[in-house]
Amino acid sequence: LQLAVLLVDSRRDAQDSDADLAAAFEELDVPYVVVATKVDKLKKGEVERNLKAIREGMELPDNLPIPASVVTGEGVRLVWSIIQGVCAGAVLRDVSDTPLLAEDDDDERGEVGLDD
């Protein structure tokens, strides 16, 4: 398994089952990203607060979870970029590495947080 994408609802607190999955991925050395879905359903002031609660509840690094919404498109390109990069043979850096998901507008391939 080259990559796991763990989807969590941004409107909910971190669930024990989500934290358990993340811990299992780490134990098995499976690279993963956590995507907080439905951020469009939150008020502006709630987004960062909820992301922080998920981050703390799951003991994630500062660069996770990735906020995403299929309604607005927020985060979708980034998530697909990561998936496509891994499928193309790129190696996802450790999720605790803060620059992992830092967007780089200079990257012509649109592959963010990947090592070739």
Side-chain angles (χ1 to χ4, degrees):
L1 184 59
Q2 297 298 313
L3 175 70
V5 179
L6 178 55
L7 304 176
V8 298
D9 190 330
S10 66
R11 302 169 298 172
R12 310 281 179 250
D13 288 336
Q15 304 295 305
D16 289 340
S17 58
D18 296 330
D20 291 344
L21 273 172
F25 295 145
E26 289 179 16
E27 186 176 314
L28 296 169
D29 291 325
V30 173
Y32 70 96
V33 292
V34 179
V35 179
T37 64
K38 304 178 185 176
V39 294
D40 59 286
K41 305 281 187 193
L42 298 172
K43 295 177 184 173
K44 286 187 179 187
E46 295 175 318
V47 173
E48 191 52 45
R49 182 176 61 236
N50 287 26
L51 294 177
K52 182 179 178 185
I54 293 167
R55 186 177 305 117
E56 290 175 354
M58 294 182 65
E59 299 180 7
L60 299 171
D62 291 339
N63 59 341
L64 294 175
I66 301 168
S69 166
V70 295
V71 173
T72 66
E74 179 180 356
V76 173
R77 181 175 173 268
L78 175 58
V79 173
W80 275 114
S81 173
I82 293 168
I83 293 168
Q84 290 171 336
V86 170
C87 288
V91 177
L92 191 65
R93 293 190 297 255
D94 187 322
V95 296
S96 63
D97 184 8
T98 303
L100 167 73
L101 300 174
E103 293 199 44
D104 183 359
D105 294 331
D106 295 332
D107 190 346
E108 296 172 7
R109 298 169 297 168
E111 295 173 359
V112 181
L114 301 168
D115 289 333
D116 292 323

